[in-house]
Amino acid sequence: MTDSLDNGKYATSAHYTGSGHIRCGPGGRSFTVDATFGLRSEVRLVNRVFDPATPDLAEVYRPAGRCVAIVDATVDHLHGNALREYFTAHGIPLVTMVCRALEADKTLDTVCRMTAFLGSDGCDVARGEPVLVVGGGVLTDTAGLACALLNRRTPYVMVGTSIVSAVDAGPSPRTCVNGTLMKNALGAYHPPVLTLVDRALFSTLAPEHLRHGAAEIVKMAAVDDEALFTLLQRHGRALLDTRFATTGDDPDLAAVADEVLFRSLHAYMRHEGTNMFETRQDRPHAYGHTWSAKFEPVAGLLHGHAVAVEMALTATLATLVGWLDEDGRDALVAVCRDLGLAVHHPVIEDLALMKVAQDTMRRKRGGSALWAVVPRGGLGKCDYLDDVEDALLAEAVDRHRAHCDRFPDGGSGLGMYLRDARWT
């Protein structure tokens, strides 16, 4: 006997759907429940998101009768007046929590403060009411997790103000905080229902944040989109110099900036979005994120530099297993260095630490294999190593160090260290 349970009349939220059925076993001694959960997550490139003439946010929050927002403190200093004037112009009340969002704040304590605000008297966000999140990668991860916990699932709209939050952390379903010496150790799968990407917000980014955010674009280009990689070879430096064509007046470069952002987002969400709950490990967007989750906090690196170091190392590893020729490795390293990203750091020579990173990531990815993402067959394509034996890892590290010793700086990046307090 099977009973199906699904009635749209009683829907909790317009943003999520679900259905299920229960099946009784023979003899009246057991039953099985099967359930499905459905969501839709949209990503849009917009121009001047806080200009009152831009309708996207007003269309979301006018029906709700208000907007409850969590805003990065630095973003509030730079763009807070524009945000408030936008909602005033549309006659929509705005309730805001301004929150510091440094790497040191990527903790459960921060998430608890957010949920206390969202659930407080006078705010008390409803289960179907979308929260607005405005900020960079740390705020994306923490506020997203707060929304995942509030009412067991509260929708949110993301406006990414950094490259990391715009093309990677913002639309991602993975919300998280750091654990002890492990990046993103605790979290939940909870994507925004809408992500708005506005490169005009990049005009206020510090050079080091532009630079380390660009690593997430290099990541998708190197393993999933050869045309995107070519665009970075040709225009990467100019995009950084002009803050993604937000300074100067070059319509051709502005068109390139839009294409680079769109292609990066599409490549990322083509895999991340269709594998929303990480039920499979064929994940190109995990390139640069196998060993770096462990060595990034140990070395105190900005995330993008840690990712770039691992990308460069695994490109060398790919040459050892015959998956990539040295020209391909050199092209990847050249793009990273042209953007000022690190391609080597002495922390990767700590093989004991690297082995712990592998063991930790193997467990995180289900325990059956490492599934390290490695370019294969040229840039723009990839495959997955189910294991990297100790001897092979040691050889890759030695070869990569020797290759980077040819550079005057040994493969270091510009502004590659965190400025805020070390997190523990």
Side-chain angles (χ1 to χ4, degrees):
M1 179 178 70
T2 300
D3 293 327
S4 295
L5 304 174
D6 180 17
N7 191 329
K9 176 181 177 181
Y10 302 107
T12 304
S13 169
H15 300 284
Y16 309 113
T17 60
S19 62
H21 61 267
I22 185 168
R23 182 174 59 254
C24 290
R29 302 283 291 179
S30 68
F31 57 85
T32 303
V33 175
D34 293 295
T36 62
F37 168 63
L39 61 87
R40 174 172 292 176
S41 183
E42 183 180 358
V43 181
R44 297 180 201 159
L45 267 64
V46 298
N47 295 318
R48 303 193 180 282
V49 66
F50 299 141
D51 185 329
T54 304
D56 299 77
L57 287 172
E59 289 173 350
V60 173
Y61 290 103
R62 186 177 292 110
R66 68 169 182 173
C67 174
V68 176
I70 299 177
V71 182
D72 181 300
T74 300
V75 173
D76 184 68
H77 174 72
L78 295 169
H79 304 288
N81 287 339
L83 174 67
R84 287 181 281 274
E85 289 169 3
Y86 178 92
F87 283 100
T88 297
H90 286 280
I92 301 170
L94 176 66
V95 182
T96 304
M97 176 186 186
V98 176
C99 184
R100 194 185 78 164
L102 303 176
E103 190 70 22
D105 301 314
K106 201 171 176 182
T107 66
L108 285 176
D109 285 344
T110 297
V111 172
C112 287
R113 289 196 298 274
M114 292 174 175
T115 56
F117 161 73
L118 295 172
S120 63
D121 292 341
C123 191
D124 196 17
V125 171
R127 197 171 188 183
E129 180 183 359
V131 174
L132 177 62
V133 178
V134 185
V138 170
L139 192 80
T140 295
D141 288 341
T142 51
L145 182 55
C147 290
L149 297 174
L150 184 72
N151 300 320
R152 292 181 296 279
R153 184 185 304 112
T154 298
Y156 64 105
V157 172
M158 184 69 220
V159 176
T161 58
S162 70
I163 297 177
V164 171
S165 61
V167 305
D168 187 272
S172 171
R174 289 173 289 113
T175 65
C176 50
V177 294
N178 294 327
T180 303
L181 290 183
M182 186 69 181
K183 283 278 291 185
N184 304 336
L186 305 172
Y189 298 108
H190 187 51
V193 294
L194 174 64
T195 301
L196 300 176
V197 177
D198 178 11
R199 61 181 170 82
L201 297 173
F202 301 166
S203 64
T204 56
L205 288 177
E208 61 266 29
H209 293 144
L210 281 162
R211 189 178 299 116
H212 101 96
E216 301 291 359
I217 300 176
V218 177
K219 172 188 73 176
M220 295 315 306
V223 294
D224 197 69
D225 189 338
E226 184 180 5
L228 176 58
F229 189 84
T230 300
L231 285 171
L232 292 176
Q233 286 179 305
R234 294 173 178 171
H235 307 287
R237 176 71 70 82
L239 290 174
L240 289 194
D241 289 345
T242 61
R243 291 181 164 82
F244 272 69
T246 60
T247 63
D249 185 18
D250 185 342
D252 292 336
L253 189 59
V256 169
D258 284 338
E259 184 177 1
V260 164
L261 291 172
F262 182 83
R263 295 189 78 101
S264 181
L265 279 160
H266 186 266
Y268 180 77
M269 292 302 288
R270 187 163 72 91
H271 300 282
E272 178 85 307
T274 57
N275 186 18
M276 193 69 78
F277 301 101
E278 206 170 321
T279 55
R280 309 184 314 274
Q281 290 303 323
D282 52 334
R283 303 170 60 244
H285 46 285
Y287 185 42
H289 291 71
T290 296
W291 293 272
S292 66
K294 203 65 167 175
F295 70 68
E296 175 183 328
V298 170
L301 292 167
L302 278 166
H303 179 65
H305 287 281
V307 169
V309 168
E310 183 180 314
M311 287 193 293
L313 170 65
T314 50
T316 297
L317 176 63
T319 66
L320 293 176
V321 298
W323 286 10
L324 186 70
D325 60 28
E326 291 191 355
D327 288 344
R329 185 273 310 276
D330 292 349
L332 175 62
V333 168
V335 163
C336 289
R337 285 185 57 76
D338 192 45
L339 296 173
L341 291 166
V343 293
H344 181 265
H345 190 280
V347 70
I348 68 172
E349 297 168 27
D350 183 345
L351 295 178
L353 176 68
M354 298 289 276
K355 185 67 168 59
V356 170
Q358 284 190 194
D359 293 342
T360 302
M361 195 56 67
R362 182 182 289 105
R363 290 191 296 272
K364 183 178 178 181
R365 292 174 178 170
S368 62
L370 182 61
W371 305 128
V373 188
V374 178
R376 183 171 189 175
L379 295 175
K381 298 178 283 294
C382 69
D383 207 336
Y384 308 87
L385 288 173
D386 57 6
D387 195 16
V388 178
E389 296 181 355
D390 293 355
L392 177 59
L393 179 62
E395 184 178 2
V397 169
D398 283 344
R399 291 275 189 98
H400 190 63
R401 181 187 60 232
H403 178 70
C404 292
D405 279 346
R406 305 171 190 174
F407 304 128
D409 58 6
S412 295
L414 300 175
M416 63 182 181
Y417 292 107
L418 281 167
R419 291 183 178 181
D420 57 290
R422 290 285 300 277
W423 56 271
T424 58

